[in-house]
Amino acid sequence: MPLASRHLLGLRGVPKEDIQQILDSAASFREVLERPIKKVPTLQGKTIVNLFYESSTRTRISFDLAERRLSADVVHFTSDSSSVKKGETLRDTARNLEAMKIDMIVVRHSAAGAAKFLSDVVKANVVNAGDGAHEHPTQALLDMYTLREKFNSLEGLRVCILGDILHSRVARSNIHGLLTMGAKVSVCGPRTLIPRDIGEMGVEVYTDVDEAIRDVDAVNVLRIQHERMERAYFPSIREYHRVFGLTAERLAKAKPHTVVLHPGPINRDVELSADVADGERSLILRQVLNGVAVRMAVLYLIGTGS
Ligand code: CP
C-alpha cells in the first residue's frame, strides 16, 4: 500500500499503518546492510538533493549512505558554500534545483515549517531532516525501530524523554510517533524547558528524574539545544548535570531492563554521563546503524510511491 502522503514532513497525523510499513521495510533494508555488497537498484535513475541549511553529522551522512545504497544519484547542498550567501531565498533555491530535474529533496532548516513550505512550492517529494524545533521524523522513526528491535513491540512500552523538551524537534516527533504506536510517553526536565501545554499531547510530565525513570522501559535523553536558546533556562551546566543528568547512579534505580537512547550529538557529562553513554544499556550506536535502514525505507516508500 502507498503511504498516505508523498512527502514525510513530520509524524503528526501519520497513520499507524504507515509507521508500521516504514519500520517493516526498514527491517528488510537492515538485512541488505549486512550483505558484503550493501546496494540494491531500487532508486536507480532517481536524483536526490540533500539540502542542508543547518549543520549535521548523523542525519546528513545517514541519508547520503541510504541514497547511495538505493542506487540514487545524490547531490549535496550546504548553505555555507551556496548562493544563499548572496541572498537567494529557500523558494528560489528549491525551484532552481527542481529545474535541473531532481526527484526528491531532503531538507534540514532552522525554520519550523521549512519542509512544508518546500512541499508547497516544488513538485519533488520532500523529506524533512529536521525543521527548527518542529519535527525530525526520521530520527523518531529510527528511535522507534531501535525500541521495537529491542522489545519486539511498541504497544504499551513506557518511554521517558528527558532533557530540553522545549527546543527539541526529536521530542515532538517521538511523542507523535510513539503515541500513535500505542506507547506510553512521559517527559522530564527543568520546568523552564518543558512547553506549558505539552500535557495536551497526551504525555505525563515530570520534573524529578528519579521518579520519571523508575518504571520506564527506555529513557531517550536529549541535548540542551543552546543554538535555539535566547536566554538562560537553568543556573549552570554543572547544576543541570547534578539535577537532570542521567548518571549510572540514577540509572541503577530504574528497572534492570531499562535502556538508554540519545539522538546525538552527546554533551558528555552534561545530559548524559560518559559511562552511561558507553555502557551496556546504551543503544546509541544501534540507533545510528538503524538510521541508515530507516532512511532507506522512507526514501524507497516515498520515492517509488509503493
Ligand atoms: N540526531 C541528529 O539529528 O544528529 P545530527 O545533527 O548530527 O544530524
Side-chain angles (χ1 to χ4, degrees):
M1 276 284 287
L3 299 180
S5 173
R6 54 184 297 274
H7 308 291
L8 180 66
L9 306 178
L11 290 189
R12 184 179 179 183
V14 173
K16 184 173 184 174
E17 302 71 45
D18 284 10
I19 294 179
Q20 196 84 47
Q21 197 181 348
I22 293 169
L23 301 184
D24 290 346
S25 295
S28 306
F29 287 121
R30 271 292 283 110
E31 285 171 32
V32 172
L33 296 180
E34 298 302 328
R35 295 180 193 162
I37 297 173
K38 303 170 181 56
K39 205 164 172 120
V40 286
T42 316
L43 290 187
Q44 209 158 41
K46 297 271 185 190
T47 304
I48 305 177
V49 176
N50 296 321
L51 194 61
F52 276 61
Y53 283 79
E54 271 191 336
S55 55
S56 169
T57 297
R58 278 147 294 273
T59 311
R60 191 174 60 81
I61 294 173
S62 181
F63 265 112
D64 181 59
L65 280 173
E67 291 152 3
R68 291 174 201 275
R69 305 257 189 258
L70 291 168
S71 305
D73 295 317
V74 184
V75 182
H76 286 291
F77 167 101
T78 49
S79 53
D80 282 352
S81 58
S82 73
S83 288
V84 172
K85 286 276 177 205
K86 302 171 198 163
E88 190 162 34
T89 64
L90 175 60
R91 179 194 171 95
D92 282 341
T93 301
R95 291 184 62 126
N96 277 270
L97 293 173
E98 191 163 61
M100 298 181 216
K101 303 281 181 206
I102 57 144
D103 300 292
M104 299 180 82
I105 298 176
V106 176
V107 60
R108 169 168 286 196
H109 201 285
S110 59
K116 168 76 172 80
F117 173 81
L118 270 191
S119 73
D120 290 337
V121 298
V122 296
K123 292 189 187 70
N125 305 101
V126 176
V127 177
N128 184 2
D131 61 330
H134 178 228
E135 285 228 34
H136 191 350
T138 57
Q139 178 67 49
L141 287 164
L142 74 88
D143 292 346
M144 287 192 282
Y145 182 92
T146 304
L147 288 173
R148 193 181 78 159
E149 183 182 57
K150 176 76 184 170
F151 295 104
N152 294 321
S153 170
L154 297 171
E155 185 74 45
L157 204 70
R158 298 177 68 104
V159 181
C160 175
I161 306 172
L162 170 64
D164 178 0
I165 311 297
L166 183 66
H167 301 100
S168 177
R169 51 197 179 202
V170 175
R172 242 167 287 279
S173 288
N174 262 282
I175 291 169
H176 290 307
L178 284 166
L179 290 177
T180 300
M181 299 309 288
K184 293 182 170 54
V185 184
S186 58
V187 297
C188 179
R191 205 167 283 285
T192 50
L193 289 177
I194 298 181
R196 281 173 207 271
D197 56 354
I198 193 110
E200 290 168 23
M201 291 179 81
V203 301
E204 283 186 80
V205 180
Y206 293 89
T207 51
D208 181 302
V209 180
D210 293 335
E211 198 187 335
I213 70 171
R214 190 178 299 143
D215 291 321
V216 298
D217 302 299
V219 189
N220 197 344
V221 186
L222 303 178
R223 181 175 66 86
I224 298 162
Q225 315 227 350
H226 291 288
E227 71 274 25
R228 300 192 209 291
M229 292 185 182
E230 284 152 9
R231 62 181 176 91
Y233 287 83
F234 48 86
S236 68
I237 293 288
R238 197 185 163 109
E239 180 74 358
Y240 184 90
H241 180 66
R242 191 181 66 75
V243 182
F244 293 100
L246 187 62
T247 59
E249 192 186 359
R250 280 218 162 95
L251 191 57
K253 293 184 204 155
K255 294 192 166 178
H257 71 262
T258 304
V259 294
V260 177
L261 292 87
H262 192 302
I266 302 169
N267 289 138
R268 286 173 177 260
D269 297 323
V270 180
E271 73 273 7
L272 188 61
S273 291
D275 52 355
V276 177
D278 302 329
E280 282 183 355
R281 300 205 205 184
S282 169
L283 297 181
I284 294 169
L285 291 180
R286 194 80 191 174
Q287 289 172 267
V288 177
L289 168 66
N290 291 336
V292 178
V294 165
R295 289 175 174 123
M296 287 173 82
V298 167
L299 293 166
Y300 155 66
L301 289 166
I302 284 180
T304 61
S306 299

